[in-house]
Short mmCIF file of all heavy atoms in Angstrom, two decimals:
data_model
loop_
_atom_site.label_atom_id
_atom_site.label_comp_id
_atom_site.label_asym_id
_atom_site.label_seq_id
_atom_site.Cartn_x
_atom_site.Cartn_y
_atom_site.Cartn_z
N VAL A 98 50.82 18.76 -10.00
CA VAL A 98 49.54 18.52 -9.33
C VAL A 98 48.63 17.87 -10.36
O VAL A 98 48.34 18.48 -11.37
CB VAL A 98 48.90 19.76 -8.73
CG1 VAL A 98 47.57 19.59 -8.16
CG2 VAL A 98 49.85 20.44 -7.78
N VAL A 99 48.24 16.65 -10.22
CA VAL A 99 47.61 15.85 -11.13
C VAL A 99 46.24 15.34 -10.60
O VAL A 99 46.31 14.54 -9.65
CB VAL A 99 48.34 14.69 -11.75
CG1 VAL A 99 47.59 13.94 -12.79
CG2 VAL A 99 49.72 15.21 -12.27
N GLY A 100 45.08 15.79 -11.17
CA GLY A 100 43.79 15.43 -10.63
C GLY A 100 43.04 14.44 -11.36
O GLY A 100 43.22 14.24 -12.59
N HIS A 101 42.04 13.88 -10.73
CA HIS A 101 41.04 12.96 -11.33
C HIS A 101 39.79 12.95 -10.42
O HIS A 101 39.80 13.51 -9.36
CB HIS A 101 41.63 11.56 -11.43
CG HIS A 101 42.20 11.05 -10.15
ND1 HIS A 101 41.44 10.34 -9.26
CD2 HIS A 101 43.44 11.14 -9.65
CE1 HIS A 101 42.26 10.02 -8.23
NE2 HIS A 101 43.48 10.50 -8.47
N HIS A 102 38.70 12.54 -11.07
CA HIS A 102 37.42 12.31 -10.41
C HIS A 102 36.21 12.76 -11.28
O HIS A 102 35.23 12.16 -11.34
CB HIS A 102 37.26 12.91 -9.07
CG HIS A 102 35.82 12.77 -8.49
ND1 HIS A 102 35.17 11.74 -8.17
CD2 HIS A 102 34.87 13.87 -8.42
CE1 HIS A 102 33.91 11.97 -7.80
NE2 HIS A 102 33.75 13.29 -7.94
N PRO A 103 36.38 13.92 -11.99
CA PRO A 103 35.24 14.46 -12.73
C PRO A 103 34.73 13.59 -13.85
O PRO A 103 33.70 13.82 -14.46
CB PRO A 103 35.69 15.82 -13.16
CG PRO A 103 36.61 16.25 -12.25
CD PRO A 103 37.43 15.02 -11.78
N HIS A 104 35.54 12.65 -14.31
CA HIS A 104 35.23 11.81 -15.50
C HIS A 104 35.21 12.54 -16.78
O HIS A 104 34.79 11.99 -17.81
CB HIS A 104 33.88 11.06 -15.28
CG HIS A 104 33.92 10.12 -14.17
ND1 HIS A 104 34.57 9.01 -14.08
CD2 HIS A 104 33.27 10.35 -12.89
CE1 HIS A 104 34.40 8.37 -12.90
NE2 HIS A 104 33.59 9.21 -12.14
N VAL A 105 35.65 13.77 -16.86
CA VAL A 105 35.90 14.58 -18.05
C VAL A 105 37.18 15.24 -17.95
O VAL A 105 37.73 15.45 -16.87
CB VAL A 105 34.70 15.60 -18.24
CG1 VAL A 105 33.38 14.95 -18.48
CG2 VAL A 105 34.60 16.55 -17.07
N LEU A 106 37.64 15.69 -19.09
CA LEU A 106 38.89 16.52 -19.08
C LEU A 106 38.68 17.90 -18.61
O LEU A 106 37.62 18.50 -18.85
CB LEU A 106 39.39 16.55 -20.57
CG LEU A 106 39.93 15.33 -21.16
CD1 LEU A 106 40.26 15.55 -22.65
CD2 LEU A 106 41.14 14.81 -20.47
N GLU A 107 39.56 18.32 -17.74
CA GLU A 107 39.59 19.73 -17.36
C GLU A 107 41.01 20.33 -17.74
O GLU A 107 41.89 19.63 -18.18
CB GLU A 107 39.35 19.81 -15.88
CG GLU A 107 37.98 19.45 -15.46
CD GLU A 107 37.70 19.54 -13.99
OE1 GLU A 107 38.67 19.76 -13.14
OE2 GLU A 107 36.56 19.61 -13.56
N PRO A 108 41.11 21.65 -17.64
CA PRO A 108 42.35 22.31 -18.21
C PRO A 108 43.65 21.81 -17.54
O PRO A 108 43.68 21.27 -16.47
CB PRO A 108 42.07 23.73 -17.83
CG PRO A 108 40.60 23.95 -17.65
CD PRO A 108 40.16 22.65 -17.11
N LEU A 109 44.62 21.96 -18.47
CA LEU A 109 46.01 21.83 -17.98
C LEU A 109 46.69 23.15 -18.05
O LEU A 109 46.34 24.00 -18.82
CB LEU A 109 46.82 20.92 -18.96
CG LEU A 109 46.26 19.60 -19.35
CD1 LEU A 109 47.12 18.97 -20.45
CD2 LEU A 109 46.24 18.56 -18.19
N GLN A 110 47.61 23.37 -17.03
CA GLN A 110 48.34 24.67 -17.17
C GLN A 110 49.73 24.44 -16.56
O GLN A 110 49.89 23.60 -15.76
CB GLN A 110 47.61 25.76 -16.56
CG GLN A 110 47.47 25.70 -15.03
CD GLN A 110 46.67 26.81 -14.44
OE1 GLN A 110 45.68 26.59 -13.72
NE2 GLN A 110 47.07 28.06 -14.68
N THR A 111 50.65 25.27 -17.05
CA THR A 111 51.93 25.34 -16.37
C THR A 111 51.99 26.65 -15.68
O THR A 111 51.44 27.71 -16.16
CB THR A 111 53.10 25.22 -17.41
OG1 THR A 111 52.97 26.22 -18.42
CG2 THR A 111 53.09 23.80 -18.01
N VAL A 112 52.67 26.62 -14.53
CA VAL A 112 52.78 27.86 -13.73
C VAL A 112 54.21 27.94 -13.22
O VAL A 112 55.01 26.90 -13.37
CB VAL A 112 51.80 27.81 -12.50
CG1 VAL A 112 50.32 27.74 -12.90
CG2 VAL A 112 52.03 26.60 -11.54
N VAL A 113 54.58 29.07 -12.75
CA VAL A 113 55.97 29.17 -12.24
C VAL A 113 55.92 28.98 -10.67
O VAL A 113 55.10 29.59 -10.04
CB VAL A 113 56.49 30.63 -12.54
CG1 VAL A 113 57.90 30.85 -11.94
CG2 VAL A 113 56.47 30.84 -14.07
N ARG A 114 56.85 28.08 -10.29
CA ARG A 114 56.92 27.71 -8.84
C ARG A 114 57.64 28.86 -8.14
O ARG A 114 58.40 29.65 -8.73
CB ARG A 114 57.70 26.48 -8.73
CG ARG A 114 57.18 25.24 -9.38
CD ARG A 114 58.13 24.07 -9.52
NE ARG A 114 58.52 23.64 -8.21
CZ ARG A 114 59.71 22.96 -7.91
NH1 ARG A 114 60.49 22.71 -9.00
NH2 ARG A 114 60.06 22.53 -6.78
N PRO A 115 57.54 28.93 -6.84
CA PRO A 115 58.29 29.93 -6.00
C PRO A 115 59.74 29.87 -6.26
O PRO A 115 60.42 30.97 -6.19
CB PRO A 115 57.90 29.64 -4.58
CG PRO A 115 56.60 28.97 -4.67
CD PRO A 115 56.63 28.22 -6.00
#
Side-chain angles (χ1 to χ4, degrees):
V98 175
V99 181
H101 51 89
H102 170 72
H104 300 287
V105 294
L106 292 172
E107 289 183 347
L109 307 173
Q110 68 183 127
T111 56
V112 298
V113 178
R114 299 166 62 202

